[in-house]
Amino acid sequence: MNIDHVAIVVNDVDKAASHYKNILYVHEVKFETIATEGVKLAILKLNNARIELMEPINDDSPIKKFLEKNGEGLHHIALETNNINNTIQNMNNCAIKFLGNVRTGSENTKIIFIHPKSFHGVLLELCEYAK
Amino acid sequence: MNIDHVAIVVNDVDKAASHYKNILYVHEVKFETIATEGVKLAILKLNNARIELMEPINDDSPIKKFLEKNGEGLHHIALETNNINNTIQNMNNCAIKFLGNVRTGSENTKIIFIHPKSFHGVLLELCEYAK
């Protein structure tokens, strides 16, 4: 597996992306809004992986609740798999608990989240890119 | 820059490493104790980056305080640079605040930490591998 991205909650994705881009030698920045997740993203491409900055776009967004409780900071890490359904099946055999079902994430990936209780307090995302 | 690793604080690094290794198709696990930082590490090698699990080894460890306050979870991300001194100089020109000086981290890397206030609540580490 690869680390695909690290996701960070911020108050203002435009400002934060500009700051990260200037300092971290980012190749490319792409913005994307995922209405179903209630977030606007800035995807920062580094050499081997991505940093995703996330800003809530409405009051129902789980990211909004995270911001109110914790302030800006690390939110989750995403691991890339070649076959998300196989990975889910293998993890189910190990009693890993998922949050909801497979849905569409950034850059048209198939994604699913794993409960932090299954990975020592870490919210993990699995993602699969379209072939 | 590359994402070198994501660091996670856990109560028991042996147990957590065994769990992560079984589930996440980890190639190799290496254990290391860094007495000066007060931590025992399990370094899990994925295809493109590493996950570092960290357990405090004494009561003075900053990781111990993190655990007591937050429980297990994400702690920091580390970015690899080819020349840590150049990167520090460039970041100093952008008013980035560092925590302490360059010291030795896992796998004999040169490391330095950046204040979370300089990166929207995220504790960032810079690391440089020996050539």
Side-chain angles (χ1 to χ4, degrees), chain A residues 4-5 28-34 37 39 41-46 49-52 80 103-111 125 127-131:
Chain A
D4 180 73
H5 65 266
E28 186 189 341
V29 180
K30 208 173 141 185
F31 290 93
E32 188 176 344
T33 295
I34 305 184
E37 304 285 329
V39 291
L41 301 175
I43 301 164
L44 314 180
K45 306 209 175 189
L46 302 180
R50 304 179 295 142
I51 292 177
E52 276 193 11
E80 185 194 353
R103 53 194 194 269
T104 303
S106 64
E107 305 200 277
N108 210 29
T109 48
K110 290 183 200 170
I111 67 165
E125 176 190 324
C127 64
E128 178 192 335
Y129 285 86
K131 269 117 196 160

Side-chain angles (χ1 to χ4, degrees), chain A residues 1-12 15-17 19-20 22-25 27 46-51 72-77 79 86-87 90-91 94 96 118-124 126, chain B residues 1-12 15-17 19-20 22-25 27 46-51 72-77 79 86-87 90-91 94 96 118-124 126:
Chain A
M1 274 191 187
N2 289 331
I3 293 181
D4 180 73
H5 65 266
V6 178
I8 297 163
V9 174
V10 297
N11 289 313
D12 181 324
K15 272 192 194 162
H19 177 69
Y20 272 76
N22 287 339
I23 315 280
L24 297 184
Y25 312 96
H27 293 301
L46 302 180
N47 286 334
N48 66 336
R50 304 179 295 142
I51 292 177
E72 296 187 315
L74 286 170
H75 185 264
H76 69 266
I77 56 177
L79 302 175
N86 281 356
T87 304
N90 291 339
M91 288 189 173
C94 300
I96 298 297
S118 288
F119 276 101
H120 294 265
V122 176
L123 179 61
L124 272 186
L126 299 175
Chain B
M1 276 191 187
N2 290 331
I3 293 181
D4 181 72
H5 65 265
V6 178
I8 297 163
V9 174
V10 298
N11 289 312
D12 181 324
K15 271 192 196 167
H19 177 68
Y20 271 76
N22 287 340
I23 315 281
L24 296 185
Y25 312 96
H27 293 300
L46 302 180
N47 286 334
N48 66 335
R50 305 180 295 142
I51 291 176
E72 296 186 315
L74 286 169
H75 186 264
H76 70 266
I77 58 178
L79 301 175
N86 281 355
T87 304
N90 292 339
M91 288 188 173
C94 300
I96 298 298
S118 289
F119 276 101
H120 294 266
V122 176
L123 180 61
L124 273 185
L126 298 175

Side-chain angles (χ1 to χ4, degrees), chain A residues 66-118:
Chain A
F66 179 96
L67 253 184
E68 285 168 356
K69 189 177 167 197
N70 307 289
E72 296 187 315
L74 286 170
H75 185 264
H76 69 266
I77 56 177
L79 302 175
E80 185 194 353
T81 167
N82 289 326
N83 188 320
I84 199 166
N85 290 325
N86 281 356
T87 304
I88 291 168
Q89 196 175 333
N90 291 339
M91 288 189 173
N92 271 329
N93 294 340
C94 300
I96 298 297
K97 285 189 185 171
F98 291 90
L99 297 165
N101 297 313
V102 174
R103 53 194 194 269
T104 303
S106 64
E107 305 200 277
N108 210 29
T109 48
K110 290 183 200 170
I111 67 165
I112 192 166
F113 283 92
I114 298 172
H115 197 294
K117 283 191 181 167
S118 288

Side-chain angles (χ1 to χ4, degrees), chain B residues 90-119:
Chain B
N90 292 339
M91 288 188 173
N92 272 329
N93 294 339
C94 300
I96 298 298
K97 286 189 183 169
F98 291 91
L99 297 166
N101 297 312
V102 174
R103 52 195 195 268
T104 303
S106 63
E107 305 198 276
N108 209 29
T109 48
K110 292 183 198 168
I111 66 165
I112 193 166
F113 282 93
I114 298 171
H115 197 292
K117 283 191 182 170
S118 289
F119 276 101

